[in-house]
Amino acid sequence: MKSFSRRDLLKSGVMVPAVAAAHSMGPLANAMEAAGEQAAVPQSAKETAPRKPYLSGAGRERLLLDFGWRFHLGNANDPSKDFDFGTERAGNFQKTGNFLPAGTGAFDDSDWRAVDLPHDWAIELPFTNDPALSSKGFYPLGRKYPETSVGWYRRVFELPATDAGKRLTIEFDGSYRETMVVFNGFYIGQHSGGYDAFSVDVTDFANPGGRNVLLVRVDATSSDGWFYEGAGIYRHVWLVKANPVHVKQWGTFVSSKVEGDTATLSIRTEVGNREKDARTVRVVSSILDPKGTVVGSSPSAPMSITADKSHEYKQEIVIRRPMLWSLEERNLYRLMTEVRAGADVVDRYETRFGIRTAHFDAEKGFFLNGKPVKLKGTCNHQDHAGLGAAVPDAVQYYRVRKLQEMGCNSLRTSHNPPTPELLDACDELGMLVFDETRMMSSNPEGLSQFAHLVRRDRNRPSVFMWSMGNEEGQANTERGVQILTAMKAVSTELDGTRPVSIAPTGAIGTGGLAVCDVIGYNYMDPGAEAYHKAHPEKPVIGTETVSAVGTRGIYVTDKTKGFVSSYDPYTTTGRASAEGWWSFCNSRPWVSGGFVWTGFDYRGEPSPNGWPNISSQYGILDTCGFPKDSFYYYQSWWTAKSVLHLFPHWNWPGMEGKKIAVWVHSNMDKVELLVNGKSLGTKEVKKDSHVAWDVEYVAGTIEARGYKGDTVAMTSKRETTGSPARMVLSADRQEISADGEDVAMFAVEVQDAQGRVVPITDNEVTFQVTGAGKLIGTGNGDPTNQQPDKGASRKAFGGYCMALVQAAKKEGSITVEATSPGLASAKVKIEAKAVKLRPQVDVWEREAPVGSGITGLWRPAPGHEVTGMMAFLLGGGASIFTLRQDGSTLTGSVEGGSISFFGGSDAPVAITDGKVDGDSVSFKAGTSTYKGTIKGGQLELVKTIDLGFLSGLMAHPKAVTGERPAVGPPPDGSDPSFDMPDISGPPSVPLVLQRAQR
């Protein structure tokens, strides 16, 4: 199912240059028309066959295919629990078009659960205390857990008749992990890899003007990583329609060269021709600035593209006074590509991009648009509290904003290609991205994954460097030289504007690591300094540097509870010292910056503790996005915001008279600490440092006063609180979009009667959502909490917990109420605002007729299925009868009745000659005749079918009379290759139907 071989990736296409100076232009359509007129279009002599005219317009549609799915767990070992996948009776690979009963429209999926995408079934599973599952967060996935490691998805949808003649493709942004696709009963293919986007062309198997069934089996038995990865179709799915001549997926690339007040855009466009003959094709490229004004346009020279081949066009457009993309001003341009085949406009394709410069200097670090930028980065996995890996788009933006609050300006997509919506957020909000592939290899799979990453993300202004892998021991060797050289060649061929690097393990710049344009290092500050002295000409970056390693709100390490103290444990460089690393990094201009492990806590890899811990504690924010104390260290030195953060809390019963370390993270000039109003003195705040006192505990108040010069600029207090008394509920936004996708985050604070957050509490909080939304998950950041993520309740941890609420597709109010025994409840209302839904495939539901008599949906009753040779010949798969009784007349349709071992159509067959006479019922559907009676709530029928040429094979000839030899041919002359009873006349089988809901 991959699109490229290694040879294909390294080929260079014929480039057709065309240069057009840009200037202010009118509306886009006029600009493209004017540009198109600049190039003559000779008619190819090969284009002689008559061709179906194109529809008006360009014909391209990209429709969201997320809503209206059905889901059911399968089984990796037992076919009888895996919808007969792999068994002879289910068809499978034996005959084309008859792959699985579950792939038919008539299949009964009433016991499948309704779900929308993205969907992660792993987060719904119970935690299992198996040490082998530790790195995955103790979710039962893998060879030992076949009953929870396979999931099936079904989506039925209709295609309009006007789609005939178009190329129809289904694009999966990501599915974990082995994904098999079946469409209308036809096996399409299988994709391996949990993060690599892939697509399937279903044109030849589609039913324009009718119903279509998409069946997907996802097997999460194997692993890509050593961290929580989820299971299922956890990213978006799209239905893409295009004319046969069209821009290929990710087929455009815009790079820019900025000199003075001019930017020269180099544009590459890959166009494919799926017609039956050659087409003469030209491309008209137009540029829209961030305000939507056309500022440049260029036509290509016409080229003849052979059938089933593609061609890459090359153009240049000059932009005067470009608006550059930066962290502060996220100016985004659009390339509008118009493809013209002969006189027809056959495709329009939009590409968003930014104009900016980026480079590394070995002595001065990283530069964006000619200005030095220290990379203040974090590594991040993709899961979130309450959601697992199925993260809605709005939560991606929430996460980026949270990172930006502490001054983070870059992120590393560890250790895999990210979902496109995370990059959307980075492009729009201003976050640089170190974009990482999952498989470091020069095998076809590894090169294909990397090629897909580069092709997909090369237009993103946020992406400043490619990562070829993470902590791969082979990268340090001579074999690594060959592997990384081949991967770098892919980047050069498909991009050529960004450097490549890798996050290494235990080495800097040795073996294959030397292939990198920028030398990365993990947790080796002294080693990086030594490398720089030996190789001052090579840029250096901390690809993975340090961890927060702490439990939010916890200040005493207790392995029995699974908690780690939040104090930064060292003041010198080390894996667990924020202060040590940043002091090193910030004092050396040649260090371009680095990426902290990690921005957010994540499921799995529960270091340093095992069970009952189910998530890591490396993050600067917990799994919900609640900040830990180290958040404020970074905020102090990564932002211009005034910061004064005092900790720990001041609830220490039983610790009276004992020393408590009191720390302040601040960027004030100096800080004074007071205990119950008594000053313990003032301390100067050194750059990239903190201030601290050892204080004898006494209940009351500690207060920090931050000074600018000799003036108090800020104060911060911690008070000994009373018992929990109430909750305060707040939403991150007061209005969200009523699109079925948008999400608001509702944070709960547990407070005492004086309105102070109680830092030590585990009150059980229950959420109830009413109105135009639904609860989709909860969390609290506790690395040991094993409450269901999809439940309605969550214990408060460190005074906080959270609910995630998703809007419906209707406008109105969404009310969230939080209740807890013994506490005053809290309620918040936000609005879901009506918006235009993005283009999407309509949700399909089978019409269930309502009326008198036997009107309704009917299916074969359990235990009365057709089996054996009759099922082989007559069809023993799923079937459904849609009956409409009007007096004595019966109409409707039968689905699935004509599918047998040899295949057959899944389309509904109209009922003819239908009659109801008292309790007697009779009707025809295709070649089958049904007769029987109504008995109680069932229909007892006999199905008779005309088998055509098979009838003669099944009937035994009459035995020949007279004397026969003792040894010889069969006396009746029957065919010995068929072992079946004598059937004289059309075969028939009993059939018992019962009412069905769907």
Side-chain angles (χ1 to χ4, degrees), residues 622-645:
D622 67 19
T623 54
C624 293
F626 293 126
K628 301 181 185 179
D629 294 295
S630 59
F631 176 96
Y632 299 98
Y633 170 79
Y634 289 109
Q635 190 179 64
S636 297
W637 304 112
W638 282 7
T639 76
K641 178 181 179 180
S642 295
V643 178
L644 186 69
H645 176 70

Side-chain angles (χ1 to χ4, degrees), residues 131-176:
L133 299 174
S134 173
S135 67
K136 301 295 184 182
F138 294 102
Y139 292 95
L141 295 170
R143 293 291 297 274
K144 290 172 61 177
Y145 302 95
E147 66 279 1
T148 51
S149 296
V150 170
W152 291 82
Y153 295 84
R154 268 175 56 89
R155 176 62 156 93
V156 182
F157 60 93
E158 292 185 348
L159 291 171
T162 52
D163 283 344
K166 290 185 178 180
R167 302 307 303 184
L168 304 175
T169 305
I170 298 173
E171 296 179 354
F172 294 80
D173 284 348
S175 177
Y176 197 85

Side-chain angles (χ1 to χ4, degrees), residues 50-289:
R51 185 179 299 107
K52 180 180 179 179
Y54 286 109
L55 300 173
S56 61
R60 176 180 289 272
E61 294 180 85
R62 191 169 192 256
L63 307 177
L64 187 66
L65 192 54
D66 279 2
F67 298 100
W69 290 76
R70 308 285 289 186
F71 171 78
H72 201 293
L73 285 173
N75 193 292
N77 289 348
D78 187 347
S80 69
K81 298 177 181 178
D82 201 36
F83 303 100
D84 287 336
F85 176 58
T87 64
E88 180 179 352
R89 65 177 177 272
N92 293 186
F93 297 97
Q94 297 163 359
K95 297 291 181 180
T96 297
N98 183 25
F99 195 74
L100 282 170
T104 65
F107 178 77
D108 185 4
D109 61 5
S110 56
D111 64 342
W112 291 40
R113 182 158 56 94
V115 298
D116 295 328
L117 306 182
H119 176 246
D120 173 9
W121 84 72
I123 203 71
E124 302 166 356
L125 299 176
F127 295 102
T128 303
N129 186 5
D130 179 351
L133 299 174
S134 173
S135 67
K136 301 295 184 182
F138 294 102
Y139 292 95
L141 295 170
R143 293 291 297 274
K144 290 172 61 177
Y145 302 95
E147 66 279 1
T148 51
S149 296
V150 170
W152 291 82
Y153 295 84
R154 268 175 56 89
R155 176 62 156 93
V156 182
F157 60 93
E158 292 185 348
L159 291 171
T162 52
D163 283 344
K166 290 185 178 180
R167 302 307 303 184
L168 304 175
T169 305
I170 298 173
E171 296 179 354
F172 294 80
D173 284 348
S175 177
Y176 197 85
R177 183 185 182 271
E178 306 287 341
T179 305
M180 180 182 73
V181 181
V182 179
F183 192 67
N184 288 333
F186 291 86
Y187 172 80
I188 304 300
Q190 184 159 328
H191 176 80
S192 179
Y195 304 97
D196 186 25
F198 64 98
S199 62
V200 293
D201 188 326
V202 297
T203 305
D204 294 347
F205 315 104
N207 298 321
R211 182 197 60 208
N212 296 264
V213 182
L214 174 60
L215 176 69
V216 181
R217 181 183 188 267
V218 183
D219 188 338
T221 301
S222 300
S223 294
D224 277 296
W226 51 96
F227 39 86
Y228 179 83
E229 300 181 280
I233 308 178
Y234 70 96
R235 293 181 181 174
H236 293 305
V237 177
W238 308 86
L239 173 63
V240 179
K241 308 175 184 181
N243 286 317
V245 177
H246 59 266
V247 177
K248 300 184 73 172
Q249 185 183 27
W250 312 318
T252 55
F253 176 40
V254 185
S255 60
S256 57
K257 182 178 181 181
V258 180
E259 295 179 331
D261 64 351
T262 299
T264 301
L265 306 183
S266 297
I267 304 170
R268 290 156 56 179
T269 307
E270 190 176 6
V271 177
N273 176 19
R274 296 303 303 274
E275 292 275 21
K276 296 180 180 179
D277 54 6
R279 297 301 309 269
T280 297
V281 177
R282 74 189 190 280
V283 169
V284 179
S285 297
S286 296
I287 304 298
L288 280 69
D289 71 11

